[in-house]
Protein backbone atom coordinates (compact mmCIF):
# COMPACT_ATOMS: atom_id res chain seq x y z
CA UNK A 1 0.00 0.00 0.00
CA UNK A 2 1.22 3.50 -0.84
CA UNK A 3 2.35 5.37 2.28
CA UNK A 4 0.68 8.74 2.94
CA UNK A 5 2.85 11.86 3.08
CA UNK A 6 1.97 14.47 5.70
CA UNK A 7 2.52 18.22 5.93
CA UNK A 8 2.42 20.06 9.27
CA UNK A 9 1.90 23.83 8.87
CA UNK A 10 2.89 25.80 12.00
CA UNK A 11 5.26 22.97 12.96
CA UNK A 12 7.40 25.07 15.30
CA UNK A 13 4.53 26.06 17.59
CA UNK A 14 3.38 24.57 20.89
CA UNK A 15 1.34 21.78 19.31
CA UNK A 16 3.12 21.55 15.96
CA UNK A 17 6.55 20.75 17.35
CA UNK A 18 5.25 17.83 19.42
CA UNK A 19 2.77 16.66 16.80
CA UNK A 20 5.53 16.55 14.16
CA UNK A 21 7.63 14.29 16.40
CA UNK A 22 4.62 12.04 17.16
CA UNK A 23 3.66 11.78 13.47
CA UNK A 24 7.26 10.99 12.48
CA UNK A 25 7.26 8.16 15.02
CA UNK A 26 4.03 6.76 13.50
CA UNK A 27 4.57 7.40 9.78
CA UNK A 28 8.36 7.50 9.43
CA UNK A 29 10.61 10.54 9.27
CA UNK A 30 10.71 10.87 5.49
CA UNK A 31 6.91 10.92 5.24
CA UNK A 32 6.35 13.96 7.49
CA UNK A 33 7.25 17.46 6.24
CA UNK A 34 7.44 20.21 8.87
CA UNK A 35 6.79 23.81 7.77
CA UNK A 36 6.54 27.18 9.47
CA UNK A 37 7.02 30.88 8.81
CA UNK A 38 10.01 30.78 11.19
CA UNK A 39 13.49 29.98 9.82
CA UNK A 40 14.65 26.43 10.49
CA UNK A 41 17.67 27.44 12.55
CA UNK A 42 15.42 28.11 15.55
CA UNK A 43 13.93 24.62 15.32
CA UNK A 44 14.47 22.33 18.29
CA UNK A 45 14.38 19.04 16.40
CA UNK A 46 16.66 19.84 13.48
CA UNK A 47 16.36 16.41 11.88
CA UNK A 48 13.66 15.66 9.30
CA UNK A 49 12.39 17.57 6.28
CA UNK A 50 11.65 21.25 6.85
CA UNK A 51 10.19 23.85 4.48
CA UNK A 52 10.01 27.55 5.16
CA UNK A 53 6.37 28.53 4.39
CA UNK A 54 4.08 31.48 4.84
CA UNK A 55 0.72 29.70 4.62
CA UNK A 56 -0.83 32.88 3.18
CA UNK A 57 1.24 32.20 0.05
CA UNK A 58 -1.06 29.66 -1.63
CA UNK A 59 1.23 29.12 -4.64
CA UNK A 60 4.19 28.14 -2.44
CA UNK A 61 1.90 25.90 -0.39
CA UNK A 62 0.83 24.16 -3.60
CA UNK A 63 4.46 23.75 -4.72
CA UNK A 64 5.35 22.07 -1.39
CA UNK A 65 2.29 19.80 -1.58
CA UNK A 66 3.23 18.70 -5.11
CA UNK A 67 6.96 18.39 -4.35
CA UNK A 68 6.40 15.91 -1.51
CA UNK A 69 3.17 14.34 -2.87
CA UNK A 70 1.38 15.39 0.32
CA UNK A 71 -1.96 13.69 1.05
CA UNK A 72 -2.68 14.87 4.64
CA UNK A 73 -2.33 18.46 5.91
CA UNK A 74 -2.31 19.47 9.59
CA UNK A 75 -2.97 23.22 9.62
CA UNK A 76 -1.77 24.60 12.97
CA UNK A 77 -0.65 28.11 11.95
CA UNK A 78 -2.84 30.68 13.70
CA UNK A 79 -2.83 33.70 15.96
CA UNK A 80 -4.08 32.66 19.39
CA UNK A 81 -6.64 34.29 21.69
CA UNK A 82 -4.63 36.81 23.73
CA UNK A 83 -2.34 37.83 20.82
CA UNK A 84 -5.26 38.19 18.41
CA UNK A 85 -6.68 41.01 20.53
CA UNK A 86 -3.60 43.15 19.67
CA UNK A 87 -4.31 42.91 15.96
CA UNK A 88 -7.81 41.52 15.35
CA UNK A 89 -7.87 42.19 11.61
CA UNK A 90 -4.61 40.40 10.97
CA UNK A 91 -5.71 37.51 13.23
CA UNK A 92 -8.89 37.19 11.16
CA UNK A 93 -6.89 37.30 7.93
CA UNK A 94 -4.32 34.71 8.97
CA UNK A 95 -6.76 32.35 10.67
CA UNK A 96 -9.27 32.44 7.79
CA UNK A 97 -7.08 32.75 4.69
CA UNK A 98 -4.81 29.92 5.82
CA UNK A 99 -7.86 27.68 6.15
CA UNK A 100 -9.25 28.73 2.76
CA UNK A 101 -5.91 28.06 1.09
CA UNK A 102 -5.83 24.52 2.46
CA UNK A 103 -9.54 23.77 1.90
CA UNK A 104 -9.34 25.07 -1.67
CA UNK A 105 -6.31 22.88 -2.47
CA UNK A 106 -8.25 19.93 -1.02
CA UNK A 107 -11.30 20.83 -3.13
CA UNK A 108 -9.07 20.99 -6.22
CA UNK A 109 -7.93 17.43 -5.44
CA UNK A 110 -4.35 18.17 -4.30
CA UNK A 111 -4.92 16.97 -0.68
CA UNK A 112 -6.94 13.97 0.57
CA UNK A 113 -7.41 14.80 4.27
CA UNK A 114 -7.21 17.98 6.38
CA UNK A 115 -6.85 18.48 10.12
CA UNK A 116 -7.68 21.96 11.43
CA UNK A 117 -8.09 22.72 15.14
CA UNK A 118 -10.89 24.81 16.55
CA UNK A 119 -11.08 25.89 20.18
CA UNK A 120 -13.31 26.36 23.22
CA UNK A 121 -13.06 30.06 22.23
CA UNK A 122 -16.01 29.56 19.83
CA UNK A 123 -18.26 29.70 22.90
CA UNK A 124 -19.24 32.97 24.56
CA UNK A 125 -20.70 34.60 27.66
CA UNK A 126 -24.26 33.29 27.16
CA UNK A 127 -23.14 29.71 26.42
CA UNK A 128 -23.95 27.32 29.31
CA UNK A 129 -20.62 27.31 31.19
CA UNK A 130 -20.71 23.93 32.89
CA UNK A 131 -20.44 20.78 30.83
CA UNK A 132 -20.91 22.87 27.68
CA UNK A 133 -22.75 20.72 25.11
CA UNK A 134 -21.60 20.03 21.55
CA UNK A 135 -24.54 21.95 20.09
CA UNK A 136 -25.32 25.12 22.01
CA UNK A 137 -25.10 28.92 21.92
CA UNK A 138 -21.93 30.10 20.19
CA UNK A 139 -21.47 33.85 20.63
CA UNK A 140 -17.69 34.41 20.85
CA UNK A 141 -16.55 37.87 21.93
CA UNK A 142 -12.88 37.58 20.89
CA UNK A 143 -11.38 38.04 17.43
CA UNK A 144 -9.84 34.58 17.81
CA UNK A 145 -13.16 32.95 18.77
CA UNK A 146 -14.97 34.64 15.87
CA UNK A 147 -12.35 33.30 13.43
CA UNK A 148 -12.55 29.77 14.87
CA UNK A 149 -16.35 29.70 14.72
CA UNK A 150 -16.33 30.91 11.11
CA UNK A 151 -13.65 28.29 10.36
CA UNK A 152 -15.87 25.53 11.73
CA UNK A 153 -18.75 26.62 9.50
CA UNK A 154 -16.46 26.62 6.45
CA UNK A 155 -15.10 23.16 7.28
CA UNK A 156 -18.63 21.77 7.38
CA UNK A 157 -19.49 23.67 4.18
CA UNK A 158 -16.51 22.23 2.27
CA UNK A 159 -17.43 18.74 3.46
CA UNK A 160 -21.12 19.07 2.53
CA UNK A 161 -20.61 20.85 -0.80
CA UNK A 162 -17.32 19.44 -2.06
CA UNK A 163 -16.81 16.28 0.06
CA UNK A 164 -13.51 17.62 1.42
CA UNK A 165 -12.43 15.19 4.18
CA UNK A 166 -11.76 17.75 6.90
CA UNK A 167 -11.61 16.80 10.58
CA UNK A 168 -11.48 19.10 13.58
CA UNK A 169 -11.27 19.23 17.37
CA UNK A 170 -12.19 22.05 19.73
CA UNK A 171 -9.00 21.87 21.79
CA UNK A 172 -9.22 23.03 25.40
CA UNK A 173 -6.14 24.74 26.97
CA UNK A 174 -3.13 22.51 26.30
CA UNK A 175 -0.38 21.83 28.81
CA UNK A 176 3.09 20.55 28.00
CA UNK A 177 6.57 20.41 29.53
CA UNK A 178 8.30 20.40 26.13
CA UNK A 179 7.01 23.56 24.51
CA UNK A 180 6.08 27.05 25.59
CA UNK A 181 2.55 28.24 24.82
CA UNK A 182 1.88 30.71 21.99
CA UNK A 183 -0.08 33.58 23.58
CA UNK A 184 -3.37 32.03 24.67
CA UNK A 185 -5.58 32.63 27.72
CA UNK A 186 -4.90 29.21 29.23
CA UNK A 187 -1.08 29.71 29.12
CA UNK A 188 -0.99 30.17 32.91
CA UNK A 189 -1.46 26.43 33.38
CA UNK A 190 1.87 25.84 31.60
CA UNK A 191 3.78 28.81 33.09
CA UNK A 192 2.80 27.78 36.62
CA UNK A 193 4.78 24.53 36.32
CA UNK A 194 7.88 26.20 34.86
CA UNK A 195 7.84 28.89 37.57
CA UNK A 196 7.15 26.34 40.32
CA UNK A 197 10.33 24.49 39.40
CA UNK A 198 12.39 27.67 38.81
CA UNK A 199 11.23 29.99 41.60
CA UNK A 200 8.75 28.06 43.74
CA UNK A 201 6.34 30.96 43.19
CA UNK A 202 3.92 32.12 40.53
CA UNK A 203 1.78 35.19 39.92
CA UNK A 204 -1.30 34.15 38.00
CA UNK A 205 -2.96 36.43 35.44
CA UNK A 206 -6.36 34.82 36.17
CA UNK A 207 -8.26 34.89 39.49
CA UNK A 208 -8.15 31.87 41.80
CA UNK A 209 -11.67 30.59 41.00
CA UNK A 210 -11.43 30.73 37.19
CA UNK A 211 -12.32 27.23 36.02
CA UNK A 212 -11.31 26.36 32.45
CA UNK A 213 -11.22 23.12 30.42
CA UNK A 214 -7.67 21.80 30.02
CA UNK A 215 -5.83 18.83 28.53
CA UNK A 216 -2.35 17.34 28.83
CA UNK A 217 -0.44 17.39 25.53
CA UNK A 218 -0.08 13.57 25.17
CA UNK A 219 -3.89 13.31 25.21
CA UNK A 220 -4.24 16.12 22.65
CA UNK A 221 -1.70 14.49 20.31
CA UNK A 222 -3.42 11.11 20.60
CA UNK A 223 -6.84 12.70 19.94
CA UNK A 224 -5.44 14.39 16.82
CA UNK A 225 -3.91 11.18 15.51
CA UNK A 226 -7.02 9.12 16.37
CA UNK A 227 -9.52 11.43 14.66
CA UNK A 228 -7.34 11.47 11.52
CA UNK A 229 -7.02 7.65 11.59
CA UNK A 230 -10.74 7.00 12.14
CA UNK A 231 -12.85 5.65 9.27
CA UNK A 232 -14.54 8.55 7.46
CA UNK A 233 -18.01 7.17 8.27
CA UNK A 234 -17.31 7.56 12.01
CA UNK A 235 -16.67 11.30 11.69
CA UNK A 236 -20.26 12.45 11.81
CA UNK A 237 -19.49 16.08 12.74
CA UNK A 238 -17.56 17.99 10.11
CA UNK A 239 -17.63 21.30 11.97
CA UNK A 240 -15.56 20.39 15.05
CA UNK A 241 -15.79 18.02 18.02
CA UNK A 242 -15.92 19.09 21.68
CA UNK A 243 -12.94 17.44 23.40
CA UNK A 244 -12.39 17.18 27.12
CA UNK A 245 -10.10 15.76 29.80
CA UNK A 246 -10.17 17.93 32.95
CA UNK A 247 -11.33 21.25 34.37
CA UNK A 248 -9.62 23.11 37.22
CA UNK A 249 -9.02 26.59 38.67
CA UNK A 250 -5.63 28.25 39.36
CA UNK A 251 -6.22 27.53 43.06
CA UNK A 252 -6.75 23.82 42.43
CA UNK A 253 -3.69 23.39 40.24
CA UNK A 254 -1.60 25.28 42.82
CA UNK A 255 -2.85 22.91 45.55
CA UNK A 256 -1.94 19.92 43.39
CA UNK A 257 1.59 21.32 42.85
CA UNK A 258 1.88 21.95 46.61
CA UNK A 259 1.41 18.21 47.21
CA UNK A 260 4.82 17.77 45.53
CA UNK A 261 6.38 21.14 46.49
CA UNK A 262 4.87 22.24 49.83
CA UNK A 263 6.69 25.62 49.72
CA UNK A 264 5.19 26.63 46.39
CA UNK A 265 3.37 29.99 46.62
CA UNK A 266 0.76 31.44 44.26
CA UNK A 267 -0.53 35.01 44.05
CA UNK A 268 -3.12 36.50 41.71
CA UNK A 269 -2.97 39.56 39.48
CA UNK A 270 -5.75 39.24 36.89
CA UNK A 271 -5.22 41.19 33.64
CA UNK A 272 -7.19 41.55 30.37
CA UNK A 273 -7.15 37.79 29.92
CA UNK A 274 -9.58 37.42 32.86
CA UNK A 275 -12.37 38.85 30.71
CA UNK A 276 -11.60 36.36 27.93
CA UNK A 277 -11.54 33.44 30.39
CA UNK A 278 -14.86 34.58 31.91
CA UNK A 279 -16.51 34.30 28.51
CA UNK A 280 -15.38 30.70 28.00
CA UNK A 281 -16.77 27.38 29.30
CA UNK A 282 -15.62 26.01 32.65
CA UNK A 283 -15.99 22.40 31.51
CA UNK A 284 -16.91 20.58 28.31
CA UNK A 285 -19.25 17.72 27.42
CA UNK A 286 -17.43 15.69 24.76
CA UNK A 287 -19.85 12.76 24.55
CA UNK A 288 -20.10 13.03 20.72
CA UNK A 289 -16.34 12.44 20.33
CA UNK A 290 -16.54 9.52 22.77
CA UNK A 291 -19.50 7.94 20.96
CA UNK A 292 -18.54 8.61 17.31
CA UNK A 293 -14.84 7.71 17.21
CA UNK A 294 -14.10 6.33 20.67
CA UNK A 295 -12.28 9.23 22.35
CA UNK A 296 -11.02 8.52 25.92
CA UNK A 297 -8.68 10.81 27.86
CA UNK A 298 -5.87 9.33 29.94
CA UNK A 299 -4.66 12.25 32.12
CA UNK A 300 -6.50 14.00 34.95
CA UNK A 301 -5.07 16.85 37.07
CA UNK A 302 -3.29 14.53 39.51
CA UNK A 303 -1.63 12.34 36.89
CA UNK A 304 -0.66 15.32 34.73
CA UNK A 305 0.89 17.27 37.64
CA UNK A 306 2.98 14.26 38.63
CA UNK A 307 4.22 13.79 35.07
CA UNK A 308 4.88 17.52 34.41
CA UNK A 309 6.94 17.97 37.58
CA UNK A 310 8.87 14.75 37.03
CA UNK A 311 9.90 15.87 33.54
CA UNK A 312 10.66 19.47 34.50
CA UNK A 313 12.89 18.33 37.40
CA UNK A 314 14.91 16.28 34.92
P1 LIG B 1 1.50 28.49 18.41
O1 LIG B 1 1.29 29.96 18.35
O2 LIG B 1 2.37 27.93 19.47
O3 LIG B 1 2.06 27.98 17.01
C1 LIG B 1 1.61 28.48 15.77
C2 LIG B 1 2.73 28.32 14.77
O4 LIG B 1 2.28 28.83 13.52
C3 LIG B 1 4.01 29.10 15.15
O5 LIG B 1 5.15 28.28 15.11
C4 LIG B 1 4.07 30.20 14.08
O6 LIG B 1 5.40 30.56 13.74
C5 LIG B 1 3.35 29.54 12.92
N1 LIG B 1 2.83 30.54 11.98
C6 LIG B 1 2.30 31.75 12.26
N2 LIG B 1 1.99 32.40 11.14
C7 LIG B 1 2.31 31.57 10.11
C8 LIG B 1 2.22 31.68 8.70
N3 LIG B 1 1.74 32.78 8.11
N4 LIG B 1 2.65 30.63 7.94
C9 LIG B 1 3.15 29.51 8.52
N5 LIG B 1 3.28 29.37 9.86
C10 LIG B 1 2.85 30.37 10.64
O7 LIG B 1 0.06 27.82 18.45
P2 LIG B 1 -0.34 26.38 19.03
O8 LIG B 1 -0.65 26.53 20.46
O9 LIG B 1 0.62 25.36 18.56
O10 LIG B 1 -1.74 26.18 18.28
C11 LIG B 1 -1.87 25.46 17.07
C12 LIG B 1 -3.36 25.46 16.67
O11 LIG B 1 -4.15 24.89 17.71
C13 LIG B 1 -3.94 26.85 16.40
O12 LIG B 1 -4.88 26.77 15.37
C14 LIG B 1 -4.64 27.17 17.70
O13 LIG B 1 -5.69 28.08 17.49
C15 LIG B 1 -5.16 25.82 18.11
N6 LIG B 1 -5.42 25.71 19.55
C16 LIG B 1 -4.41 25.74 20.45
C17 LIG B 1 -4.68 25.64 21.82
C18 LIG B 1 -3.57 25.66 22.86
O14 LIG B 1 -3.86 25.61 24.06
N7 LIG B 1 -2.32 25.68 22.47
C19 LIG B 1 -6.00 25.54 22.25
C20 LIG B 1 -7.02 25.56 21.30
C21 LIG B 1 -6.73 25.61 19.94
Amino acid sequence: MKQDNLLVIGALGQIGSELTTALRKNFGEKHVVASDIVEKRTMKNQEGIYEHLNVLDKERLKIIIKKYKISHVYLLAAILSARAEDNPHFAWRLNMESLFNVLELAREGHIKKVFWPSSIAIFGPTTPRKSTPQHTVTDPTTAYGISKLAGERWCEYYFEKFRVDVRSLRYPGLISYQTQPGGGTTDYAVDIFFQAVKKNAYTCFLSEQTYLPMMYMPDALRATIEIMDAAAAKIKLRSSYNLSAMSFSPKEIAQEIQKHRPDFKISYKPDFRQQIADSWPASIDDSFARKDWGWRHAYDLKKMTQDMLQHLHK
Side-chain angles (χ1 to χ4, degrees):
M1 205 178 78
K2 203 174 137 271
Q3 166 93 53
D4 289 317
N5 291 325
L6 285 54
L7 173 66
V8 182
I9 303 172
L12 301 187
Q14 190 199 11
I15 302 170
S17 51
E18 292 195 47
L19 184 65
T20 302
T21 307
L23 291 173
R24 281 181 174 157
K25 240 179 235 160
N26 282 10
F27 291 86
E29 199 155 290
K30 66 178 195 299
H31 294 288
V32 180
V33 179
S35 72
D36 202 289
I37 199 165
V38 176
E39 297 289 341
K40 180 170 179 169
R41 62 190 132 84
T42 62
M43 198 176 177
K44 261 197 224 146
N45 43 350
Q46 294 275 343
E47 76 285 357
I49 310 164
Y50 182 81
E51 288 283 347
H52 183 237
L53 168 72
N54 178 354
V55 67
L56 296 177
D57 183 348
K58 188 179 169 197
E59 277 317 301
R60 170 132 177 88
L61 174 59
K62 191 169 168 182
I63 288 168
I64 293 172
I65 283 166
K66 286 195 157 174
K67 178 174 168 190
Y68 295 100
K69 299 186 172 54
I70 297 295
S71 57
H72 297 18
V73 169
Y74 295 74
L75 173 56
L76 302 174
I79 297 203
L80 272 67
S81 58
R83 278 215 187 124
E85 294 307 301
D86 294 336
N87 195 345
H89 287 113
F90 182 68
W92 170 261
R93 182 169 168 238
L94 175 64
N95 295 0
M96 296 313 301
E97 245 176 68
S98 59
L99 180 60
F100 275 126
N101 285 348
V102 172
L103 289 176
E104 272 297 291
L105 288 171
R107 184 179 71 83
E108 290 162 13
H110 301 290
I111 309 164
K112 276 202 308 212
K113 232 189 241 186
V114 176
F115 176 80
W116 172 82
S118 184
S119 158
I120 55 165
I122 60 133
F123 299 116
T126 67
T127 303
R129 287 205 75 223
K130 286 196 182 148
S131 210
T132 301
Q134 175 72 43
H135 301 290
T136 185
V137 179
T138 46
D139 57 352
T141 51
T142 61
Y144 175 70
I146 293 169
S147 72
K148 288 293 184 187
L149 181 59
E152 286 193 10
R153 303 320 309 148
W154 281 113
C155 286
E156 192 180 280
Y157 185 92
Y158 269 72
F159 175 76
E160 293 294 338
K161 293 267 171 178
F162 310 122
R163 293 289 131 187
V164 167
D165 189 351
V166 52
R167 301 164 183 217
S168 176
L169 299 169
R170 290 171 180 160
Y171 287 137
L174 300 181
I175 299 163
S176 161
Y177 61 88
Q178 289 191 33
T179 42
Q180 294 288 338
T185 303
T186 52
D187 290 6
Y188 92 84
V190 180
D191 294 340
I192 195 169
F193 284 106
F194 281 85
Q195 296 307 320
V197 172
K198 239 196 250 169
K199 296 186 192 155
N200 236 1
Y202 181 65
T203 303
C204 186
F205 58 74
L206 298 181
S207 67
E208 62 180 331
Q209 288 302 335
T210 310
Y211 281 83
L212 286 168
M214 301 279 185
M215 182 173 280
Y216 198 30
M217 189 62 89
D219 271 345
L221 298 179
R222 189 166 50 77
T224 307
I225 290 169
E226 284 177 8
I227 195 176
M228 285 296 270
D229 276 354
K234 288 192 172 177
I235 310 302
K236 301 209 167 70
L237 296 175
R238 295 298 182 148
S239 48
S240 191
Y241 277 95
N242 274 9
L243 190 73
S244 168
M246 58 186 114
S247 162
F248 55 78
S249 64
K251 188 176 176 182
E252 280 180 5
I253 192 174
Q255 284 169 342
E256 199 58 43
I257 292 172
Q258 280 158 350
K259 289 183 189 163
H260 303 264
R261 305 179 66 94
D263 297 336
F264 174 67
K265 298 254 175 327
I266 184 161
S267 54
Y268 302 92
K269 205 175 163 197
D271 66 14
F272 73 100
R273 287 168 280 194
Q274 184 66 46
Q275 206 184 347
I276 300 179
D278 288 341
S279 76
W280 286 358
S283 58
I284 294 287
D285 172 358
D286 63 354
S287 45
F288 280 78
R290 289 175 193 263
K291 183 167 61 67
D292 288 358
W293 47 275
W295 165 243
R296 301 284 177 275
H297 70 278
Y299 287 88
D300 58 12
L301 176 58
K302 186 174 170 205
K303 204 169 155 195
M304 174 186 75
T305 303
Q306 237 165 17
D307 200 65
M308 278 292 284
L309 290 174
Q310 214 170 37
H311 280 99
L312 289 176
H313 282 140
K314 272 189 211 158

